[in-house]
Amino acid sequence: MYDIAVIGAGPAGVSSIFFSASKGYKVIAFERSPGFGAICGEYLPAPDSLGLRGEVASNYFEFFRPFAAHRISRIRLEVFGREFGFCYEGYSIRRREMLKSRVQEAEGMGSRVLLKETFLGLKPEGGHYKIFTNKGRYEAKYVIGADGFPSKIAAILNSRNSVSCDDLSIAFPMEISLNLEDQGETRIIIDEEIAPGAYSWIIPRGDSRANVGLGARMSAYRGFNPFRAFGKLLKRIGVDMDIRAGDIKGRFVHVGGLSKVLARDGIFLVGDSAGMVVPSNGGGIFTAIISSYLLSISLENEHPERDYTLSIAKYVRPLVETGLIYRRAADALMRLGILRRIVRLVPNSMVAEAITGNRGKYYRFLKLASYLYPLSKSRGGSLPICERA
């Protein structure tokens, strides 16, 4: 019998394993993949950029600090021929190394992490759960869903089996050699021909390397070819490079906000499984780490489901919900052609708010703009639903 069973060993799963093991829990985890992949932008904001303080900030930062590859202090955004720039401190990280190292530490504290083992289902029995995988049966008091999107654990807690295509993106990152003019600046490009409904990015990693990628919203995916899009992006940033089929791997990113139910009857959702990606920028590793730490604290309390839900409402929900408002405002302004007309008049600070997902003085204006979102959906080619896999 284990105290905790963690389903998935990505950033949310590994941070859940690590923080829970650090508090003395007996943990078992299941990951269907043979290792720890790196399909993401590998960027994390600094605690101050997120407005974090105290133990939440320090535990979040210390989890990834040893694996920071490069410090980044600014973001530059390009849209319709105009550039916006603002200060925003963060770090590119060695994601695969971080996950592998933290798993090894957790295993040193007694945890078991089983790779190439797929979760199939669970059954409540006498105050705990029986967990079934393709290789065996296990028992645990608590179950943590960290299986990304689409999540089998989230489907158990939330009855919906479909999402709007407008709330779903697919991201394609790649690490390449690139001599950047400014190694301290992340570059974001909004160009519908390259990244329809989303954006492309160049995140410095130091030593003349960068994480370069692009996303596409599923509502605008029809006719989209990631190989052609990547070719256009590389040409735009001055990179002469042949792309082969195996060079590009994508992952789904849910950008539609938090799941309705985050915890019930000893089952908890963290990270992408809970819809904790910030919709305005696609960032999700930092919310995965933060939510996992908050859960490890909540499990020590008499009512962990209630306490976890309340702590997420304090630290994570505001970022995600504000980001969703900003994403919908951007959708409306882009699709209705308003942004193209007013881009020269838009304050730099408004763009900073919209990209980072922080709520500031332009929140009310962007919220008003988000009310135009329903009118813009048909112009974005939105499909009604995307069935969960």
Side-chain angles (χ1 to χ4, degrees):
M1 169 75 80
Y2 293 89
D3 297 317
I4 300 169
V6 180
I7 314 303
V14 170
S15 49
S16 292
I17 297 163
F18 176 80
F19 287 128
S20 299
S22 298
K23 293 187 177 299
Y25 290 105
K26 186 178 180 183
V27 182
I28 188 167
F30 310 100
E31 169 55 49
R32 63 183 180 182
S33 301
F36 308 105
I39 304 178
C40 71
E42 298 187 285
Y43 173 86
L44 286 171
D48 284 347
S49 297
L50 297 170
L52 291 178
R53 300 289 185 273
E55 289 189 7
V56 175
S58 60
N59 279 275
Y60 161 65
F61 184 61
E62 287 304 317
F63 183 83
F64 74 82
R65 183 186 58 79
F67 314 99
H70 189 67
R71 184 176 176 178
I72 300 167
S73 58
R74 293 177 302 283
I75 294 175
R76 174 160 56 106
L77 180 138
E78 303 167 28
V79 57
F80 296 136
R82 183 177 171 188
E83 291 189 359
F84 299 86
F86 50 92
C87 295
Y88 191 75
E89 186 177 349
Y91 300 84
S92 57
I93 62 165
R94 299 182 295 273
R95 178 182 186 265
R96 184 182 286 107
E97 182 184 337
M98 178 182 76
L99 300 184
K100 184 176 180 180
S101 178
R102 291 307 190 194
V103 162
Q104 289 173 343
E105 291 178 68
E107 288 177 330
M109 291 182 275
S111 298
R112 291 181 66 193
V113 180
L114 305 177
L115 301 178
K116 295 192 289 187
E117 188 150 354
T118 303
F119 168 79
L120 299 178
L122 56 79
K123 178 183 177 182
E125 186 172 289
H128 65 275
Y129 287 95
K130 282 191 173 182
I131 295 132
F132 305 92
T133 73
N134 62 328
K135 294 185 178 179
R137 298 181 180 184
Y138 308 85
E139 295 183 347
K141 181 178 180 181
Y142 298 120
V143 176
I144 298 176
D147 48 338
F149 179 88
S151 165
K152 291 181 179 178
I153 306 301
I156 292 171
L157 292 184
N158 298 271
S159 58
R160 290 184 62 189
N161 62 358
S162 64
V163 297
S164 165
C165 276
D166 243 12
D167 291 339
L168 190 60
S169 292
I170 185 165
F172 301 93
M174 180 189 301
E175 186 172 325
I176 66 172
S177 296
L178 183 61
N179 290 315
L180 294 170
E181 195 174 299
D182 189 341
Q183 288 283 342
E185 183 177 74
T186 287
R187 184 178 172 190
I188 295 175
I189 301 170
I190 296 179
D191 185 332
E192 291 289 283
E193 291 187 6
I194 295 175
Y199 64 88
S200 53
W201 66 84
I202 301 97
I203 301 173
R205 297 189 59 76
D207 298 327
S208 299
R209 297 195 66 79
N211 185 303
V212 177
L214 56 88
R217 199 84 61 81
M218 294 306 295
S219 56
Y221 198 80
R222 189 174 295 172
F224 175 76
N225 184 311
F227 300 103
R228 284 201 298 265
F230 237 106
K232 290 180 181 179
L233 173 60
L234 294 178
K235 183 178 180 180
R236 178 162 177 168
I237 63 177
V239 175
D240 184 12
M241 175 180 168
D242 292 327
I243 306 173
R244 296 171 294 179
D247 293 333
I248 300 178
K249 295 181 180 179
R251 66 180 282 264
F252 286 115
V253 181
H254 181 250
V255 290
L258 286 174
S259 298
K260 183 176 181 181
V261 180
L262 299 175
R264 186 176 64 221
D265 300 330
I267 301 175
F268 304 85
L269 299 177
V270 292
D272 284 16
S273 301
M276 291 181 182
V277 172
V278 177
S280 59
N281 58 40
I285 301 181
F286 70 94
T287 51
I289 297 170
I290 292 168
S291 62
S292 298
Y293 174 69
L294 295 173
L295 177 54
S296 71
I297 296 173
S298 299
L299 290 175
E300 297 179 310
N301 300 329
E302 186 177 354
H303 303 288
E305 295 90 350
R306 180 197 65 190
D307 291 347
Y308 176 63
T309 301
L310 289 173
S311 63
I312 292 298
K314 179 178 179 179
Y315 290 100
V316 177
R317 185 177 291 278
L319 278 169
V320 175
E321 291 187 345
T322 301
L324 182 58
I325 289 170
Y326 291 174
R327 193 219 85 195
R328 289 176 173 171
D331 285 346
L333 295 174
M334 285 284 291
R335 293 171 179 176
L336 297 175
I338 298 171
L339 183 59
R340 182 182 291 274
R341 297 189 192 101
I342 67 169
V343 68
R344 299 293 173 187
L345 305 175
V346 174
N348 195 81
S349 52
M350 180 187 293
V351 173
E353 267 187 50
I355 293 297
T356 62
N358 289 319
R359 187 178 296 191
K361 66 179 181 179
Y362 295 104
Y363 172 74
R364 290 184 179 179
F365 171 82
L366 291 168
K367 188 173 183 179
L368 283 173
S370 73
Y371 294 149
L372 297 172
Y373 169 69
L375 300 176
S376 72
K377 290 183 71 174
S378 61
R379 302 196 185 198
S382 300
L383 303 174
I385 59 170
C386 292
E387 294 295 333
R388 289 181 187 265

